[in-house]
Amino acid sequence: AKALGRNTYSFFTEEMNAIMRRRFAIEEQMHTALARNEFTIHYQALFDVQTQNISGAEALLRWHNATLGQVTPDEFIPIAEHTGLIVPIGKYVIKQALVFLNEWQNIDQQKYSISVNLSPRQLRDATLIDLIKDALQDANISPESLQLEITEGVLMTGQAYIQEALTNISDLGIKLGMDDFGTGYSSLSYLRQYPFDVLKIDRSFIYGIALNKADCDLVKATIAMSHSLGLTVVAEGVETQEQLHLLNELGCNFAQGYYFAKPLPANQLLDFSASKKKK
Ligand code: C2E
Ligand code: CA
Ligand code: CA
Ligand code: CA
């Protein structure tokens, strides 16, 4: 038993060492990643549930590094947030996404929306609002076409600067989306307290809607509540025809997920969009 204990101990130590080393390497590499042009943005199309036409896309960050390989956002975003590097990286995403939207709208001769994820640290940045204004102007995009998404966790701290930043964003005419709805705490009061326009139901709830009644009822109630508050509803992680069919019956406005399209590099999304239009 003693030997086993020691092995277990050293196993955990090695495991922890590996995790710490990787974290350290990510942090180190991230400092110069922007300058080396290692970040790209993928775009996942968003669909109108009723018409099944593309209504816009969400910008999702991708990072490929020579020593680390592909690093997922779930791994590097929290570190970027912690170090503050999310501020310059986030700026890059906002600028690029708006330039892309302009190109996309010009090619398709149609209006689309673009969603960009915001981290709490970015809301604390005093230059955020001016940066967004400039980026909108430079790309010739109207504020209503931009949607900024934040998760409930951001609101939990209840800090004054959050209310202020969100109000400023909303006053510009930019859309505010609550991301991953249902995964945090006491979300309902936030919907009244902050100027949200859109609610995105987390994919963990969408997963079960065609499988069990409880999940279906929960999503049904969420949609009804959102609509009564004047919010538009997006379902995340739609993977099957059955889910889409149910969401249509429940009156969900928009849907996003592998059933329609995975996040794609910019040029591939343009091709995908063009192929949908020709139908
Ligand atoms: P999110 O904002 O909830 O983005 C949706 C995630 O779900 C994406 O993961 C997307 O690839 C994935 N997804 C989409 N459809 C499906 C589906 O049908 N099934 C399944 N299983 N998954 C689906 P991704 O790209 O790995 O991004 C993870 C998270 O990283 C995002 O979650 C977002 O919170 C964060 N993130 C990504 N880009 C940025 C960014 O530019 N800034 C910030 N602050 N966060 C970002
Ligand atoms: Ca999102
Ligand atoms: Ca989400
Ligand atoms: Ca998520």
Side-chain angles (χ1 to χ4, degrees):
K2 211 173 178 184
L4 181 75
R6 257 181 58 189
N7 283 338
T8 311
Y9 175 74
S10 66
F11 169 76
F12 279 120
T13 310
E14 259 171 52
E15 188 100 313
M16 270 161 66
N17 267 331
I19 290 169
M20 304 258 285
R21 268 201 309 275
R22 174 145 176 107
R23 210 200 127 95
F24 184 79
I26 287 174
E27 202 175 313
E28 193 180 35
Q29 293 294 320
M30 209 188 299
H31 280 280
T32 42
L34 258 185
R36 279 195 306 263
N37 258 316
E38 293 178 355
F39 291 107
T40 54
I41 301 172
H42 281 195
Y43 296 92
Q44 185 176 32
L46 213 82
F47 286 76
D48 182 311
V49 168
Q50 258 180 6
T51 66
Q52 297 203 28
N53 288 326
I54 299 182
S55 63
E58 175 170 6
L60 294 160
L61 202 49
R62 296 292 178 259
W63 180 24
H64 183 84
N65 176 268
T67 34
L68 298 165
Q70 199 72 28
V71 191
T72 67
D74 286 332
E75 198 175 8
F76 74 77
I77 295 282
I79 300 173
E81 171 84 23
H82 182 77
T83 57
L85 281 168
I86 192 64
V87 172
I89 295 169
K91 275 183 193 169
Y92 165 83
V93 178
I94 292 167
K95 284 188 190 173
Q96 288 288 309
L98 290 172
V99 168
F100 168 75
L101 178 61
N102 180 46
E103 189 188 352
W104 187 18
Q105 292 187 145
N106 283 340
I107 292 172
D108 281 8
Q109 284 299 305
Q110 195 179 317
K111 280 209 109 185
Y112 293 114
S113 67
I114 198 88
S115 303
V116 175
N117 294 287
L118 271 194
S119 284
R121 182 64 184 76
Q122 292 175 272
L123 293 175
R124 246 201 303 146
D125 172 24
T127 67
L128 177 73
I129 299 295
D130 282 335
L131 162 97
I132 295 171
K133 273 195 216 162
D134 290 348
L136 284 167
Q137 205 158 34
D138 290 349
N140 196 22
I141 296 293
S142 54
E144 310 79 52
S145 306
L146 174 62
Q147 177 176 314
L148 296 175
E149 302 186 353
I150 59 164
T151 56
E152 295 164 293
V154 176
L155 309 170
M156 256 171 57
T157 61
Q159 308 222 49
Y161 72 85
I162 292 170
Q163 177 93 48
E164 197 184 317
L166 296 185
T167 305
N168 287 338
I169 288 168
S170 180
D171 286 350
L172 280 178
I174 293 162
K175 301 272 182 274
L176 263 185
M178 182 182 275
D179 211 346
D180 300 350
F181 183 80
T183 57
Y185 300 95
S186 64
S187 348
L188 293 183
S189 61
Y190 296 141
L191 292 176
R192 279 204 325 203
Q193 192 181 342
Y194 299 98
F196 284 102
D197 304 283
V198 176
L199 183 146
K200 295 186 84 167
I201 304 177
D202 192 69
R203 69 164 179 267
S204 56
F205 296 97
I206 303 305
Y207 180 79
I209 56 168
L211 304 172
N212 66 76
K213 190 170 179 302
D215 278 8
C216 190
D217 286 346
L218 201 63
V219 168
K220 184 181 180 178
T222 304
I223 293 171
M225 174 207 64
S226 302
H227 285 166
S228 74
L229 288 170
L231 297 165
T232 299
V233 183
V234 180
E236 296 193 307
V238 176
E239 294 185 352
T240 69
Q241 166 92 60
E242 292 74 36
Q243 290 168 341
L244 176 64
H245 179 76
L246 272 168
L247 288 165
N248 189 27
E249 285 194 338
L250 299 179
C252 183
N253 306 97
F254 299 99
Q256 185 181 356
Y258 297 164
Y259 174 72
F260 298 105
K262 294 209 166 177
L264 300 168
N267 59 336
Q268 284 181 37
L269 183 83
L270 293 178
D271 289 346
F272 175 76
S273 176
S275 76
K276 287 265 160 194
K277 280 201 74 172
K278 280 193 200 94
K279 277 210 305 196

